[in-house]
Amino acid sequence: MRNFLSKKTMKAFNTTLLRERFVIYTPQKGNKKNASTVALSNRIAAELRDSEDRVSETFIIRTHNMHSAVRMLARIIQSFDQGGPLSIRQEGYDWEEAWHLIVNDYEHTYNPDRWVAIYHNGKCIFSKGKRHPFLDMIERCDHQNNLEYDFAIPMAEKIFMETGEPLKIEYDSNVALSAHFVDNTGRLGIILRGSSRATTFTFTVQKKNDRMLNISQCLGAAAAFLEGIQLSFLVGTNTEKLSTGVIERFSKEEKQIQDGKKRLQRLQSEIENLEITSNIHYRPEKPEFHLLIHNHTL
């Protein structure tokens, strides 16, 4: 029986959040734009390690938006730290409850397209909402290639060929978040791409006094930044539209602006809670949601 840390933290943890786009098409057909299907996803891996720093189990999280993927990761790590491996528990892990707690009121009201899929050993063990079925194939291929993700797409193309469907897959991805934790220090980098430029900032988190660094809380703050920056852009843009009459007063869109501001206040509180319990250094500077709303550009 492997030993797990009693102080509710892993020795080290590293992961990357990817924004992915798959274009699946038939080469024989002339117009790829009209003859292709597109699968979009945000993907992050939870490689969980025991107290000897050995991989105990790995989960792959795919979601419709970025912050939901990171929040699900935070819940998985929290449960793993408190109770050990999730996959071998006699009563199982309540994925439904975890997802329910992640979906906040704003998300529930204004994002009907939200979805999540959790994979373990190449199989989807939990899902909510509608995802592209191609994503399941990619995860099966990834598992069969011993988690060598670069080989998953060629393998999927080979499977299509063997079934008589000579399909090609074009793949595009970019990093949205990188997270590295070791020796009670975390370094997180967030990259957000707008229509004209990319905005990048990092923050380093270290334990305060004799506290152990809470990896789940750090990831929760990263999710708050991911959600807050995008929400600030939406609120700022729609506030300008409201002032110019593009959005009508007392409309659903105006209510979304007000609800978005309330959501931003809760996200700000989540970040401030981490600042109270830990030492944080931002580079270049901490994004301020109210300023982003005023500038409403990324």
Side-chain angles (χ1 to χ4, degrees), residues 1-263:
M1 182 72 178
R2 293 186 182 183
N3 295 321
F4 295 87
L5 295 179
S6 60
K7 293 185 178 180
K8 299 184 180 182
T9 183
M10 289 184 285
K11 286 184 177 180
F13 180 77
N14 300 291
T15 194
T16 300
L17 174 66
L18 293 178
R19 302 180 67 182
E20 297 188 322
R21 183 175 188 267
F22 299 91
V23 179
I24 307 106
Y25 66 97
T26 304
Q28 286 80 0
K29 295 186 178 179
N31 192 334
K32 183 174 70 173
K33 181 178 180 180
N34 296 330
S36 65
T37 180
V38 178
L40 302 175
S41 174
N42 296 283
R43 182 185 193 267
I44 197 166
E47 188 179 82
L48 308 176
R49 296 175 175 269
D50 63 18
S51 57
E52 281 75 43
D53 201 30
R54 297 175 298 183
V55 176
S56 174
E57 58 185 357
T58 300
F59 297 96
I60 303 298
I61 306 162
R62 288 189 180 273
T63 57
H64 175 253
N65 54 36
M66 295 182 290
H67 60 85
S68 295
V70 180
R71 286 200 174 90
M72 181 60 83
L73 172 63
R75 289 209 163 266
I76 290 174
I77 292 176
Q78 181 183 50
S79 183
F80 179 81
D81 283 341
Q82 294 174 348
L86 283 64
S87 59
I88 61 175
R89 295 181 185 180
Q90 190 172 10
E91 297 181 358
Y93 180 68
D94 195 342
W95 296 103
E96 185 85 36
E97 176 68 9
W99 178 241
H100 175 74
L101 293 172
I102 286 170
V103 179
N104 56 76
D105 292 344
Y106 181 88
E107 190 84 13
H108 186 272
T109 302
Y110 297 107
N111 183 17
D113 297 325
R114 63 188 180 278
W115 62 265
V116 62
I118 309 294
Y119 299 87
H120 179 59
N121 292 336
K123 297 179 181 179
C124 183
I125 60 173
F126 173 78
S127 67
K128 278 290 182 180
K130 187 177 180 180
R131 68 189 183 281
H132 198 290
F134 173 75
L135 301 174
D136 293 358
M137 173 184 281
I138 284 293
E139 293 305 332
R140 287 196 301 271
C141 293
D142 179 45
H143 178 67
Q144 292 175 26
N145 281 290
N146 298 316
L147 303 182
E148 293 288 343
Y149 196 52
D150 291 341
F151 298 107
I153 293 176
M155 185 174 182
E157 290 180 333
K158 182 179 179 182
I159 292 173
F160 282 132
M161 182 70 69
E162 291 173 349
T163 58
E165 296 183 77
L167 300 179
K168 298 295 291 182
I169 303 166
E170 289 187 358
Y171 174 65
D172 181 52
S173 70
N174 54 68
V175 175
L177 167 74
S178 62
H180 306 280
F181 296 91
V182 65
D183 296 332
N184 279 308
T185 298
R187 181 177 174 83
L188 300 97
I190 294 177
I191 305 97
L192 287 166
R193 290 169 173 82
S195 57
S196 59
R197 62 189 177 94
T199 300
T200 305
F201 80 96
T202 63
F203 63 100
T204 303
V205 190
Q206 295 178 313
K207 65 177 182 177
K208 181 177 288 188
N209 301 324
D210 293 329
R211 295 176 180 269
M212 299 298 291
L213 188 65
N214 189 326
I215 294 178
S216 297
Q217 187 182 22
C218 294
L219 290 170
F225 276 122
L226 284 167
E227 181 181 0
I229 292 172
Q230 287 201 321
L231 185 54
S232 296
F233 176 74
L234 176 66
V235 170
T237 300
N238 285 349
T239 298
E240 183 177 6
K241 290 180 179 179
L242 181 66
S243 66
T244 58
V246 176
I247 290 178
E248 295 182 359
R249 290 291 311 279
F250 311 112
S251 63
K252 179 181 178 180
E253 289 78 10
E254 184 186 20
K255 186 176 187 307
Q256 185 175 4
I257 294 172
Q258 301 307 318
D259 289 346
K261 291 179 179 179
K262 294 177 183 177
R263 176 62 184 161

Side-chain angles (χ1 to χ4, degrees), residues 279-294:
N279 294 314
I280 302 185
H281 301 281
Y282 294 98
R283 185 174 181 180
E285 66 270 336
K286 174 184 175 181
E288 298 291 350
F289 297 150
H290 68 280
L291 294 178
L292 293 176
I293 291 175
H294 178 72

